[in-house]
Amino acid sequence: MQKPNYIPLAILLIISLVAVFVPAVPTQIVTEGINSGDTAWMLVATALVLLMTPGLAYFYGGMVNNKNVISTMLQSFVAMGVISILWVVVGFSLAFGTSIGGFVGNPMDHFMFKGVLDGKPWSLAASIPLVVFAFFQLKFAVITPALVTGSMAERINFRSYVLFMILFSLLVYAPLAHMTWHPDGILFKMGVLDFAGGTVVHMSAGWAALAGALYLKRRKSHLEASYFPPANIPFVLLGTGLLWFGWFGFNAGSAVAASPLAASAFATTNTAAASAGLAWVLFDAAKGKKVSALGFCIGAVVGLVAITPAAGFVTIPTAIFIGTIASIISNYVAHLRSKSTLDDTLDVFPCHGVGGMVGMVMTGIFASKGINSAVVDEGLAFGQTKLFITHMIALIGVSVFAFVMSYALLKITDLILPLRVTEEDEKLGLDVSQHDEFLIEA
């Protein structure tokens, strides 16, 4: 039994008491301009995006060894609890509050969701209530730190992970969301196009994952070149299905209306996932490997990642190209990673980091005004260079910011709570050593 720790409970109780004294009672709820069809679709899209986090839990949980399944899955599920509270308290304000220098929002604007129920609709989502927009964005904030966990699986202290998740959400995710999606954000004003989170979600998670893998160093099993098979491939298949399904809310929902643009993003999402899943296993086959369920699942997710920033800006046939190229590149980077000493347990950086960057580049090449009138400067394929150059500058800037900040936050977390479990706990497995639970094999 571990030593009692009352601090996390005390913090939650304090937040609960503050909520009583700052109840955010609405004055008059805005109904003018609200479209019932758009609102209904966005409620559904919000639920679909939330489903992606349990999907990620199954996806990651099936790939680790059988001593770490529950701990890996819990790292995704606990994000739904922690980030949901954090978002209501201050996260939404930091991401979408009044801009402070184009980098972050005013934390007091919507503290404890003040002015959200009775606030005017978000300027870029004028036909849905502000609270629906706020909760749609919450689901993106939930899954981002959960994505990072795959690189540190099988060796991270659970309590330290929760602390890092909070710091990452406040100091990396929220500023990137503000810079990219707020009209006064620095990246938004530069003209960066990120339809549904290629930079905000996948690049930030990918670079944080790389920082985590480097900081936590290699697992004992990795040092010994021991091979432990994935615990449950059917879990991976189930997780992929849930992710693919939920991603329709992620991308099509980012049109923030039940519109032709949402339909286009829906179609490009499915198309890129399909081509990427096929490309991964066919690339494996070209190298003499057998077609695998794991390969198709990973490839499909890479395609979903890569199309995310481009989903509402490119044509449906272009999505085939994006999915195929992103899958082959990520497959090759994952291969290089496997030959190196880098211990990114579930290849988060090759899949999400590299996939997100490929998607950002592809958006700079193929973005079209014909798909989305919000495109001011079309992509390189249409003879214009400004958007492509802007995306290259932003790619470098976001990469440096996400990696350096994440590495610093890992260091800070480690100074407060040891990030890595002991060698004995790692050998025993995190299911038992961290949670006193274990998977019963059939």
Side-chain angles (χ1 to χ4, degrees), residues 5 25 55 73 89 110 156 165 186 192 198 207 217 247 273 285 303 335 357 360 372 381 387 408-409 417 442:
N5 183 2
V25 177
M73 295 182 74
V89 176
H110 298 294
I156 190 168
M165 172 171 54
I186 186 170
V192 171
W207 284 106
K217 299 182 173 60
W247 226 292
H335 170 74
M357 286 187 283
M360 192 174 185
N372 191 330
L387 178 64
L409 294 177
L417 290 169

PDB file of all heavy atoms in Angstrom, residues 5 25 55 73 89 110 156 165 186 192 198 207 217 247 273 285 303 335 357 360 372 381 387 408-409 417 442:
ATOM      1  N   ASN A   5      -1.866  10.295   0.111  1.00  0.00           N
ATOM      2  CA  ASN A   5      -1.591  11.604  -0.478  1.00  0.00           C
ATOM      3  C   ASN A   5      -2.902  12.375  -0.561  1.00  0.00           C
ATOM      4  O   ASN A   5      -3.780  12.053  -1.363  1.00  0.00           O
ATOM      5  CB  ASN A   5      -0.971  11.434  -1.873  1.00  0.00           C
ATOM      6  CG  ASN A   5      -0.595  12.765  -2.501  1.00  0.00           C
ATOM      7  OD1 ASN A   5      -0.748  13.822  -1.896  1.00  0.00           O
ATOM      8  ND2 ASN A   5      -0.089  12.721  -3.728  1.00  0.00           N
ATOM      9  N   VAL A  25     -24.114  31.716 -13.159  1.00  0.00           N
ATOM     10  CA  VAL A  25     -25.541  31.726 -13.486  1.00  0.00           C
ATOM     11  C   VAL A  25     -25.769  32.654 -14.687  1.00  0.00           C
ATOM     12  O   VAL A  25     -25.351  33.815 -14.655  1.00  0.00           O
ATOM     13  CB  VAL A  25     -26.381  32.203 -12.283  1.00  0.00           C
ATOM     14  CG1 VAL A  25     -27.862  32.272 -12.663  1.00  0.00           C
ATOM     15  CG2 VAL A  25     -26.174  31.281 -11.093  1.00  0.00           C
ATOM     16  N   GLY A  55     -11.497   5.040 -27.629  1.00  0.00           N
ATOM     17  CA  GLY A  55     -10.939   4.325 -28.774  1.00  0.00           C
ATOM     18  C   GLY A  55      -9.420   4.286 -28.709  1.00  0.00           C
ATOM     19  O   GLY A  55      -8.795   3.247 -28.969  1.00  0.00           O
ATOM     20  N   MET A  73      -4.477   2.002 -20.678  1.00  0.00           N
ATOM     21  CA  MET A  73      -5.837   2.426 -20.993  1.00  0.00           C
ATOM     22  C   MET A  73      -6.323   3.501 -20.024  1.00  0.00           C
ATOM     23  O   MET A  73      -6.975   4.473 -20.423  1.00  0.00           O
ATOM     24  CB  MET A  73      -6.783   1.221 -20.988  1.00  0.00           C
ATOM     25  CG  MET A  73      -6.468   0.204 -22.073  1.00  0.00           C
ATOM     26  SD  MET A  73      -7.615  -1.201 -22.114  1.00  0.00           S
ATOM     27  CE  MET A  73      -9.068  -0.428 -22.824  1.00  0.00           C
ATOM     28  N   VAL A  89     -12.552  25.216 -15.524  1.00  0.00           N
ATOM     29  CA  VAL A  89     -11.949  26.179 -14.609  1.00  0.00           C
ATOM     30  C   VAL A  89     -11.222  27.293 -15.372  1.00  0.00           C
ATOM     31  O   VAL A  89     -11.498  28.478 -15.188  1.00  0.00           O
ATOM     32  CB  VAL A  89     -10.980  25.482 -13.630  1.00  0.00           C
ATOM     33  CG1 VAL A  89     -10.269  26.515 -12.749  1.00  0.00           C
ATOM     34  CG2 VAL A  89     -11.733  24.489 -12.749  1.00  0.00           C
ATOM     35  N   HIS A 110     -13.342  33.526 -19.020  1.00  0.00           N
ATOM     36  CA  HIS A 110     -14.386  32.513 -18.807  1.00  0.00           C
ATOM     37  C   HIS A 110     -14.027  31.612 -17.636  1.00  0.00           C
ATOM     38  O   HIS A 110     -14.276  30.408 -17.666  1.00  0.00           O
ATOM     39  CB  HIS A 110     -14.582  31.681 -20.079  1.00  0.00           C
ATOM     40  CG  HIS A 110     -15.043  32.469 -21.266  1.00  0.00           C
ATOM     41  ND1 HIS A 110     -16.281  33.068 -21.307  1.00  0.00           N
ATOM     42  CD2 HIS A 110     -14.428  32.781 -22.440  1.00  0.00           C
ATOM     43  CE1 HIS A 110     -16.416  33.702 -22.465  1.00  0.00           C
ATOM     44  NE2 HIS A 110     -15.307  33.548 -23.161  1.00  0.00           N
ATOM     45  N   ILE A 156       6.069   4.990 -17.024  1.00  0.00           N
ATOM     46  CA  ILE A 156       5.800   6.284 -16.416  1.00  0.00           C
ATOM     47  C   ILE A 156       4.959   6.147 -15.157  1.00  0.00           C
ATOM     48  O   ILE A 156       4.018   5.348 -15.086  1.00  0.00           O
ATOM     49  CB  ILE A 156       5.106   7.246 -17.414  1.00  0.00           C
ATOM     50  CG1 ILE A 156       5.047   8.661 -16.836  1.00  0.00           C
ATOM     51  CG2 ILE A 156       3.727   6.738 -17.807  1.00  0.00           C
ATOM     52  CD1 ILE A 156       4.641   9.727 -17.835  1.00  0.00           C
ATOM     53  N   MET A 165       0.282  16.076 -17.506  1.00  0.00           N
ATOM     54  CA  MET A 165      -0.876  16.312 -18.362  1.00  0.00           C
ATOM     55  C   MET A 165      -1.491  17.686 -18.088  1.00  0.00           C
ATOM     56  O   MET A 165      -1.849  18.421 -19.022  1.00  0.00           O
ATOM     57  CB  MET A 165      -1.921  15.211 -18.129  1.00  0.00           C
ATOM     58  CG  MET A 165      -3.253  15.433 -18.807  1.00  0.00           C
ATOM     59  SD  MET A 165      -4.347  13.995 -18.714  1.00  0.00           S
ATOM     60  CE  MET A 165      -4.378  13.673 -16.961  1.00  0.00           C
ATOM     61  N   ILE A 186      -1.443  34.426 -33.226  1.00  0.00           N
ATOM     62  CA  ILE A 186      -0.328  34.768 -34.106  1.00  0.00           C
ATOM     63  C   ILE A 186      -0.282  33.891 -35.348  1.00  0.00           C
ATOM     64  O   ILE A 186      -0.032  34.368 -36.456  1.00  0.00           O
ATOM     65  CB  ILE A 186       1.011  34.715 -33.316  1.00  0.00           C
ATOM     66  CG1 ILE A 186       2.150  35.218 -34.197  1.00  0.00           C
ATOM     67  CG2 ILE A 186       1.297  33.332 -32.768  1.00  0.00           C
ATOM     68  CD1 ILE A 186       3.454  35.430 -33.437  1.00  0.00           C
ATOM     69  N   VAL A 192      -1.991  30.653 -41.309  1.00  0.00           N
ATOM     70  CA  VAL A 192      -1.859  29.197 -41.184  1.00  0.00           C
ATOM     71  C   VAL A 192      -3.243  28.554 -41.221  1.00  0.00           C
ATOM     72  O   VAL A 192      -4.173  28.999 -40.550  1.00  0.00           O
ATOM     73  CB  VAL A 192      -1.143  28.819 -39.870  1.00  0.00           C
ATOM     74  CG1 VAL A 192      -1.199  27.312 -39.627  1.00  0.00           C
ATOM     75  CG2 VAL A 192       0.308  29.296 -39.906  1.00  0.00           C
ATOM     76  N   GLY A 198      -4.096  19.497 -36.910  1.00  0.00           N
ATOM     77  CA  GLY A 198      -2.825  18.892 -37.285  1.00  0.00           C
ATOM     78  C   GLY A 198      -1.666  19.454 -36.481  1.00  0.00           C
ATOM     79  O   GLY A 198      -0.785  18.714 -36.040  1.00  0.00           O
ATOM     80  N   TRP A 207       5.541  15.849 -30.813  1.00  0.00           N
ATOM     81  CA  TRP A 207       6.794  16.397 -30.292  1.00  0.00           C
ATOM     82  C   TRP A 207       6.905  16.200 -28.783  1.00  0.00           C
ATOM     83  O   TRP A 207       8.010  15.959 -28.260  1.00  0.00           O
ATOM     84  CB  TRP A 207       6.931  17.864 -30.668  1.00  0.00           C
ATOM     85  CG  TRP A 207       7.316  18.057 -32.093  1.00  0.00           C
ATOM     86  CD1 TRP A 207       6.527  18.491 -33.131  1.00  0.00           C
ATOM     87  CD2 TRP A 207       8.602  17.793 -32.681  1.00  0.00           C
ATOM     88  NE1 TRP A 207       7.236  18.505 -34.309  1.00  0.00           N
ATOM     89  CE2 TRP A 207       8.508  18.092 -34.070  1.00  0.00           C
ATOM     90  CE3 TRP A 207       9.815  17.341 -32.176  1.00  0.00           C
ATOM     91  CZ2 TRP A 207       9.581  17.942 -34.943  1.00  0.00           C
ATOM     92  CZ3 TRP A 207      10.898  17.188 -33.042  1.00  0.00           C
ATOM     93  CH2 TRP A 207      10.776  17.489 -34.397  1.00  0.00           C
ATOM     94  N   LYS A 217      14.037   7.870 -21.199  1.00  0.00           N
ATOM     95  CA  LYS A 217      15.025   6.909 -21.674  1.00  0.00           C
ATOM     96  C   LYS A 217      14.384   5.532 -21.906  1.00  0.00           C
ATOM     97  O   LYS A 217      13.171   5.397 -21.909  1.00  0.00           O
ATOM     98  CB  LYS A 217      16.217   6.838 -20.729  1.00  0.00           C
ATOM     99  CG  LYS A 217      16.942   8.189 -20.614  1.00  0.00           C
ATOM    100  CD  LYS A 217      18.151   8.097 -19.719  1.00  0.00           C
ATOM    101  CE  LYS A 217      18.947   9.405 -19.762  1.00  0.00           C
ATOM    102  NZ  LYS A 217      18.186  10.570 -19.319  1.00  0.00           N
ATOM    103  N   TRP A 247     -13.523  10.101 -35.584  1.00  0.00           N
ATOM    104  CA  TRP A 247     -12.814  11.115 -36.359  1.00  0.00           C
ATOM    105  C   TRP A 247     -13.741  11.866 -37.301  1.00  0.00           C
ATOM    106  O   TRP A 247     -13.440  12.989 -37.723  1.00  0.00           O
ATOM    107  CB  TRP A 247     -11.669  10.486 -37.155  1.00  0.00           C
ATOM    108  CG  TRP A 247     -10.375  11.246 -37.062  1.00  0.00           C
ATOM    109  CD1 TRP A 247     -10.106  12.475 -37.580  1.00  0.00           C
ATOM    110  CD2 TRP A 247      -9.159  10.818 -36.420  1.00  0.00           C
ATOM    111  NE1 TRP A 247      -8.804  12.846 -37.320  1.00  0.00           N
ATOM    112  CE2 TRP A 247      -8.202  11.843 -36.613  1.00  0.00           C
ATOM    113  CE3 TRP A 247      -8.776   9.664 -35.727  1.00  0.00           C
ATOM    114  CZ2 TRP A 247      -6.893  11.745 -36.123  1.00  0.00           C
ATOM    115  CZ3 TRP A 247      -7.487   9.581 -35.244  1.00  0.00           C
ATOM    116  CH2 TRP A 247      -6.569  10.603 -35.436  1.00  0.00           C
ATOM    117  N   ALA A 273      -8.068   7.804 -44.614  1.00  0.00           N
ATOM    118  CA  ALA A 273      -7.871   6.656 -43.728  1.00  0.00           C
ATOM    119  C   ALA A 273      -7.779   5.360 -44.530  1.00  0.00           C
ATOM    120  O   ALA A 273      -6.930   4.496 -44.261  1.00  0.00           O
ATOM    121  CB  ALA A 273      -9.012   6.578 -42.715  1.00  0.00           C
ATOM    122  N   ALA A 285       4.347  -5.243 -47.473  1.00  0.00           N
ATOM    123  CA  ALA A 285       4.422  -6.382 -48.391  1.00  0.00           C
ATOM    124  C   ALA A 285       5.536  -6.191 -49.415  1.00  0.00           C
ATOM    125  O   ALA A 285       6.230  -7.149 -49.792  1.00  0.00           O
ATOM    126  CB  ALA A 285       3.082  -6.568 -49.098  1.00  0.00           C
ATOM    127  N   GLY A 303      -3.323   7.994 -41.618  1.00  0.00           N
ATOM    128  CA  GLY A 303      -4.097   8.710 -42.624  1.00  0.00           C
ATOM    129  C   GLY A 303      -5.064   9.697 -42.004  1.00  0.00           C
ATOM    130  O   GLY A 303      -5.244  10.822 -42.494  1.00  0.00           O
ATOM    131  N   HIS A 335      10.243   2.567 -39.034  1.00  0.00           N
ATOM    132  CA  HIS A 335      11.305   1.575 -39.278  1.00  0.00           C
ATOM    133  C   HIS A 335      12.655   2.105 -38.807  1.00  0.00           C
ATOM    134  O   HIS A 335      13.425   1.387 -38.132  1.00  0.00           O
ATOM    135  CB  HIS A 335      11.354   1.225 -40.765  1.00  0.00           C
ATOM    136  CG  HIS A 335      12.547   0.413 -41.158  1.00  0.00           C
ATOM    137  ND1 HIS A 335      12.669  -0.933 -40.845  1.00  0.00           N
ATOM    138  CD2 HIS A 335      13.694   0.754 -41.835  1.00  0.00           C
ATOM    139  CE1 HIS A 335      13.821  -1.388 -41.304  1.00  0.00           C
ATOM    140  NE2 HIS A 335      14.456  -0.389 -41.907  1.00  0.00           N
ATOM    141  N   MET A 357       2.860  16.627 -39.374  1.00  0.00           N
ATOM    142  CA  MET A 357       3.694  17.518 -40.192  1.00  0.00           C
ATOM    143  C   MET A 357       3.461  17.294 -41.681  1.00  0.00           C
ATOM    144  O   MET A 357       3.397  18.261 -42.453  1.00  0.00           O
ATOM    145  CB  MET A 357       5.168  17.306 -39.831  1.00  0.00           C
ATOM    146  CG  MET A 357       5.551  17.907 -38.486  1.00  0.00           C
ATOM    147  SD  MET A 357       7.326  17.850 -38.143  1.00  0.00           S
ATOM    148  CE  MET A 357       7.532  16.125 -37.671  1.00  0.00           C
ATOM    149  N   MET A 360       0.324  19.037 -42.562  1.00  0.00           N
ATOM    150  CA  MET A 360       0.492  20.493 -42.636  1.00  0.00           C
ATOM    151  C   MET A 360       1.143  20.901 -43.963  1.00  0.00           C
ATOM    152  O   MET A 360       0.744  21.888 -44.597  1.00  0.00           O
ATOM    153  CB  MET A 360       1.345  20.966 -41.462  1.00  0.00           C
ATOM    154  CG  MET A 360       1.352  22.472 -41.270  1.00  0.00           C
ATOM    155  SD  MET A 360       2.239  22.943 -39.784  1.00  0.00           S
ATOM    156  CE  MET A 360       1.919  24.708 -39.767  1.00  0.00           C
ATOM    157  N   ASN A 372     -13.103  25.596 -49.814  1.00  0.00           N
ATOM    158  CA  ASN A 372     -13.374  26.412 -48.629  1.00  0.00           C
ATOM    159  C   ASN A 372     -13.060  27.873 -48.953  1.00  0.00           C
ATOM    160  O   ASN A 372     -11.909  28.221 -49.239  1.00  0.00           O
ATOM    161  CB  ASN A 372     -12.512  25.917 -47.462  1.00  0.00           C
ATOM    162  CG  ASN A 372     -12.913  26.520 -46.137  1.00  0.00           C
ATOM    163  OD1 ASN A 372     -13.397  27.640 -46.070  1.00  0.00           O
ATOM    164  ND2 ASN A 372     -12.696  25.765 -45.062  1.00  0.00           N
ATOM    165  N   ALA A 381       0.150  23.742 -55.334  1.00  0.00           N
ATOM    166  CA  ALA A 381      -0.351  23.067 -56.530  1.00  0.00           C
ATOM    167  C   ALA A 381      -1.138  23.997 -57.441  1.00  0.00           C
ATOM    168  O   ALA A 381      -1.343  23.695 -58.621  1.00  0.00           O
ATOM    169  CB  ALA A 381      -1.235  21.880 -56.126  1.00  0.00           C
ATOM    170  N   LEU A 387       1.152  30.519 -48.996  1.00  0.00           N
ATOM    171  CA  LEU A 387       0.633  29.605 -47.986  1.00  0.00           C
ATOM    172  C   LEU A 387       1.656  28.524 -47.649  1.00  0.00           C
ATOM    173  O   LEU A 387       1.868  28.194 -46.475  1.00  0.00           O
ATOM    174  CB  LEU A 387      -0.672  28.957 -48.467  1.00  0.00           C
ATOM    175  CG  LEU A 387      -1.298  27.928 -47.518  1.00  0.00           C
ATOM    176  CD1 LEU A 387      -1.717  28.599 -46.214  1.00  0.00           C
ATOM    177  CD2 LEU A 387      -2.496  27.245 -48.158  1.00  0.00           C
ATOM    178  N   ALA A 408      10.849  20.760 -21.020  1.00  0.00           N
ATOM    179  CA  ALA A 408      10.979  21.546 -19.787  1.00  0.00           C
ATOM    180  C   ALA A 408       9.933  21.124 -18.755  1.00  0.00           C
ATOM    181  O   ALA A 408      10.233  21.009 -17.553  1.00  0.00           O
ATOM    182  CB  ALA A 408      10.842  23.035 -20.107  1.00  0.00           C
ATOM    183  N   LEU A 409       8.710  20.877 -19.211  1.00  0.00           N
ATOM    184  CA  LEU A 409       7.641  20.468 -18.297  1.00  0.00           C
ATOM    185  C   LEU A 409       7.892  19.072 -17.736  1.00  0.00           C
ATOM    186  O   LEU A 409       7.549  18.783 -16.575  1.00  0.00           O
ATOM    187  CB  LEU A 409       6.292  20.516 -19.011  1.00  0.00           C
ATOM    188  CG  LEU A 409       5.815  21.914 -19.423  1.00  0.00           C
ATOM    189  CD1 LEU A 409       4.497  21.831 -20.177  1.00  0.00           C
ATOM    190  CD2 LEU A 409       5.675  22.827 -18.209  1.00  0.00           C
ATOM    191  N   LEU A 417       7.584  15.169  -8.751  1.00  0.00           N
ATOM    192  CA  LEU A 417       7.263  13.749  -8.572  1.00  0.00           C
ATOM    193  C   LEU A 417       8.116  12.949  -9.553  1.00  0.00           C
ATOM    194  O   LEU A 417       8.171  13.296 -10.732  1.00  0.00           O
ATOM    195  CB  LEU A 417       5.776  13.482  -8.871  1.00  0.00           C
ATOM    196  CG  LEU A 417       4.735  14.022  -7.909  1.00  0.00           C
ATOM    197  CD1 LEU A 417       3.340  13.873  -8.528  1.00  0.00           C
ATOM    198  CD2 LEU A 417       4.798  13.278  -6.572  1.00  0.00           C
ATOM    199  N   ALA A 442      -7.769 -15.158 -20.736  1.00  0.00           N
ATOM    200  CA  ALA A 442      -8.747 -16.222 -20.947  1.00  0.00           C
ATOM    201  C   ALA A 442      -8.027 -17.560 -21.101  1.00  0.00           C
ATOM    202  O   ALA A 442      -6.952 -17.648 -21.633  1.00  0.00           O
ATOM    203  CB  ALA A 442      -9.546 -15.919 -22.186  1.00  0.00           C
TER     204      ALA A 442
END
